[in-house]
Amino acid sequence: MKVTIIGLDIAKSVFQAHGTDASGKCLLKKKLGRSEVVSFFEKLERCLVVLEACGTSHHWARVIRDTGHEVKLIPPEMVKPFVKRGKKNDAVDAAAICLAAIHPDTRFVPIKNREQQSLLSLHSTRTLLVKQQTMLVNALRALAAEFGLIVPLGNSRLPELLAKIETSSNLPDALKQTTMLLFEQYGRLSESIENLEGGIRTHAKQDEDARRLLTIPGIGPVTASLIVASVTDIGAFDTARHFAAWLGLVPRQHSSGGKTRLGRITKTGNREIRKMLVLGATSMLYRAQKWDSAAGVWLCKLLERRPGRLATVALANKLARIIWALLSRKEIYRPTGRSVATV
């Protein structure tokens, strides 16, 4: 009996392998230490190895693929229905991965190479620093507000807050000291974010697909670079709707008895891409009247009968579909109106 498929449940130190033959009969159950994984698969006859797409899964997929095996990554939500209720452990998870892998409706996640993951590290680091910067600014404003120092919203108004703190003679020295430390930290964060965005913009200018996406109104260098780095193979999505659904930009259905009930968007898939598309759509919302194209006319008509936030999400869905079309057909965005909206 030959092992044809192995479900591998990965962790930090201890991995669990579950091997079956072509008929699904279990032939192998083995617990592997981190240092034993490579030697185990080098000795094993070539087969299909399936891992759950999670942290470090792309690394291990590349490592196991180098030993001569075929490797696939499977989304966690495809594995969950096959986990036995009340029996959650590593061995059960590995068996569930095998069952999910042979299901005809199962879809797989393309394996990212080292270059794509290194580019994604720029985006994840930028996201973290932007979050820290927002927290720091909120703390600064809250501390100053306790002493009656208020400035209008926006990071561009922070120098005004700094000037008020420096020129106020009745402020305690402890407050001035802490706020100055926060302002210094804000400056370092801003500089780091700018350096990261410089690397991202450089990639967006050099990559052919990213330059193609930059022709779409509402898509900037950060969004274009993130999409190119995250979407390994656009051919994995049969239609533009499938791509929008993967990003969680389609309505959640609660349909039964022949009655269609649509709710809020599903918010599944890549959260960062979805957020950037919604932000880009929000910027285009204020320029809808100047966006002289088919999409601009559609957006203006939508705003006449729907709230702005709903129109923003609908436009983000349309942008996702446009992205799929451009990447699939290797084309640039061409509006049907008389002019192109500036971004």
Side-chain angles (χ1 to χ4, degrees):
M1 302 294 286
K2 177 185 175 182
V3 174
T4 59
I5 180 171
I6 289 182
L8 184 65
D9 184 66
I10 61 177
K12 285 186 177 180
S13 302
V14 181
F15 299 179
Q16 180 71 41
H18 182 94
T20 64
D21 59 12
S23 64
K25 181 180 179 181
C26 178
L27 300 179
L28 181 147
K29 287 184 180 180
K30 188 173 181 61
K31 186 175 292 186
L32 301 170
R34 185 182 182 90
S35 60
E36 301 172 326
V37 174
V38 175
S39 59
F40 171 77
F41 283 103
E42 285 178 341
K43 299 174 183 178
L44 194 67
E45 190 174 352
R46 190 179 189 275
C47 62
L48 172 63
V49 182
V50 184
L51 294 80
E52 204 173 41
C54 58
T56 72
S57 60
H58 291 273
H59 164 71
W60 285 111
R62 293 192 298 267
V63 169
I64 297 173
R65 187 173 56 186
D66 290 341
T67 63
H69 296 276
E70 180 185 2
V71 185
K72 291 184 178 181
L73 298 181
I74 188 170
E77 62 269 18
M78 305 295 291
V79 179
K80 188 175 181 180
F82 296 92
V83 178
K84 295 179 181 179
R85 179 175 294 183
K87 295 183 179 180
K88 178 69 171 67
N89 55 54
D90 293 345
V92 171
D93 290 345
I97 292 173
C98 280
L99 290 174
I102 61 177
H103 194 276
D105 293 334
T106 298
R107 64 181 185 276
F108 296 96
V109 178
I111 300 172
K112 292 181 175 61
N113 56 40
R114 296 171 64 88
E115 289 72 22
Q116 287 174 313
Q117 287 201 290
S118 63
L119 179 60
L120 284 174
S121 69
L122 292 179
H123 289 276
S124 59
T125 304
R126 174 188 173 275
T127 300
L128 174 63
L129 295 185
V130 169
K131 183 178 180 180
Q132 292 178 348
Q133 187 185 53
T134 303
M135 295 170 61
L136 192 147
V137 170
N138 291 339
L140 265 173
R141 289 179 175 275
L143 289 174
E146 293 292 338
F147 291 86
L149 301 179
I150 305 294
V151 294
L153 295 178
N155 290 355
S156 60
R157 297 303 186 99
L158 287 180
E160 297 180 24
L161 181 60
L162 177 62
K164 286 185 177 184
I165 293 174
E166 290 178 336
T167 57
S168 296
S169 58
N170 58 346
L171 289 179
D173 293 337
L175 176 68
K176 289 187 175 182
Q177 181 181 2
T178 54
T179 52
M180 291 304 151
L181 286 174
L182 291 178
F183 271 111
E184 292 175 3
Q185 183 66 18
Y186 173 80
R188 288 192 290 267
L189 283 175
S190 299
E191 183 179 356
S192 299
I193 292 171
E194 181 60 33
N195 292 335
L196 290 171
E197 290 181 347
I200 292 172
R201 286 193 294 267
T202 300
H203 169 260
K205 292 178 181 178
Q206 295 176 349
D207 188 88
E208 182 181 354
D209 285 336
R211 292 199 305 269
R212 189 174 286 111
L213 297 183
L214 286 174
T215 61
I216 306 174
I219 302 296
V222 175
T223 307
S225 175
L226 177 62
I227 292 172
V228 170
S230 302
V231 183
T232 306
D233 180 20
I234 196 64
F237 306 98
D238 296 333
T239 64
R241 177 177 172 77
H242 289 168
F243 181 60
W246 177 70
L247 293 175
L249 289 170
V250 297
R252 187 184 301 275
Q253 290 201 37
H254 301 275
S255 304
S256 179
K259 295 181 179 180
T260 301
R261 298 181 180 88
L262 301 180
R264 298 181 178 182
I265 59 174
T266 61
K267 293 186 179 180
T268 58
N270 193 305
R271 179 180 181 180
E272 193 64 24
I273 295 179
R274 183 174 63 253
K275 181 183 75 174
M276 297 304 295
L277 288 180
V278 171
L279 289 176
T282 303
S283 69
M284 295 307 300
L285 206 67
Y286 299 102
R287 311 175 190 180
Q289 300 295 334
K290 300 179 181 179
W291 192 4
D292 191 10
S293 68
V297 173
W298 169 84
L299 180 59
C300 290
K301 291 182 178 179
L302 182 62
L303 286 171
E304 293 175 359
R305 62 183 191 275
R306 290 290 186 269
R309 178 51 62 187
L310 190 149
T312 298
V313 177
L315 179 57
N317 181 296
K318 183 175 283 291
L319 291 177
R321 295 175 180 235
I322 293 173
I323 289 169
W324 179 89
L326 298 191
L327 293 180
S328 300
R329 301 167 188 171
K330 301 297 181 181
E331 296 180 357
I332 62 172
Y333 178 75
R334 295 186 179 91
T336 57
R338 294 185 297 275
S339 61
V340 181
T342 56
V343 180

